[in-house]
Amino acid sequence: MIAVRGVGIRQGGFALTDITFSVPTGSYAVLTGPTGCGKTTLLECLAGLRTPTAGTITLAGRDVTALPPAARNVGYVPQDAAVFTHLTVRENLAFALSVRKRPRAEVDGRVKELAGQLGLTGLLNRRAVGLSGGEAQRVALGRALAFRPPVLLLDEPLNALDQATAERLMAVLGALRETTVLHVTHNPVEAEATAGVRLRLGGGRLL
């Protein structure tokens, strides 16, 4: 579950005020709104990358308002993908499981599964530096999904992809059952295709 209660965020002259919403466990929510309305800012607040000026954030039953990003146990895909370029694609996909000290067989099996789902099998041994935008986005999504997070935060995850690849990833995301997802997009077609819960920001508030 994602529960946001009375959250305020201020950045220079921009502010979000009294943001309140909830996404039930296992639901797929899409957050839309015009460019510059604060969608990414709100997502970064949930991920722990920004500190709210007011309110509380509860993720998977825990109040995480004051916790650092690493302690929130969420999967997060930023808009710029942000892959680890010094690692191979395989090592990127394995990263979250490796730092959690999962058995090697489990890590290898999960990496193989994700690579197949995301069309990355042929890239596994390649360094992540120099990937195309679409390839990097798929690697970032796989890295976030690897440890089966209870909450997944996605910032324009399909933005750099061609239509066929975007449809493939929407099928992967649509098959998630135990993960609560908040997906930011400016694309109304994408929102309609994926959303179980629809949220919209505008004028510094949730509409």
Side-chain angles (χ1 to χ4, degrees):
M1 182 184 75
I2 299 171
V4 176
R5 296 286 179 264
V7 163
I9 310 166
R10 181 168 294 279
Q11 179 181 336
F14 173 79
L16 293 175
T17 305
D18 194 26
I19 304 297
T20 297
F21 67 90
S22 62
V23 181
T25 300
S27 296
Y28 199 112
V30 173
L31 176 65
T32 62
T35 300
C37 72
K39 300 186 298 295
T40 292
T41 298
L42 179 57
L43 206 68
E44 289 176 343
C45 189
L46 269 63
L49 302 175
R50 296 184 184 274
T51 303
T53 55
T56 60
I57 299 168
T58 302
L59 301 177
R62 291 192 307 151
D63 184 342
V64 301
T65 312
L67 294 181
R72 298 193 179 202
N73 199 35
V74 301
Y76 173 55
V77 180
Q79 194 167 359
D80 60 0
V83 297
F84 300 141
T85 55
H86 64 291
L87 300 178
T88 65
V89 169
R90 183 189 306 276
E91 289 165 339
N92 268 272
L93 295 180
F95 181 81
L97 294 172
S98 296
V99 298
R100 287 170 171 79
K101 308 296 185 185
R102 299 288 177 83
R104 179 62 181 271
E106 178 186 343
V107 175
D108 290 346
R110 182 62 170 153
V111 166
K112 182 178 180 181
E113 176 187 12
L114 287 167
Q117 290 175 338
L118 301 173
L120 295 171
T121 302
L123 299 175
L124 283 174
N125 295 322
R126 179 175 162 183
R127 285 270 305 280
V129 64
L131 294 175
S132 70
E135 289 167 344
Q137 196 72 2
R138 284 181 280 153
V139 172
L141 178 58
R143 191 180 64 202
L145 288 171
F147 70 105
R148 295 184 171 88
V151 173
L152 181 63
L153 306 174
L154 305 172
D155 194 355
E156 301 282 4
L158 309 179
N159 198 36
L161 306 178
D162 60 75
Q163 183 176 348
T165 304
E167 289 174 356
R168 181 176 188 170
L169 262 63
M170 279 195 288
V172 172
L173 294 170
L176 298 174
R177 291 292 176 264
E178 298 179 0
T179 301
T180 307
V181 181
L182 181 58
H183 172 150
V184 163
T185 182
H186 68 280
N187 186 326
V189 176
E190 185 178 313
E192 186 67 29
T194 56
V197 177
R198 292 285 295 272
L199 304 166
R200 182 171 175 82
L201 274 181
R205 294 182 178 274
L206 195 72
L207 306 177

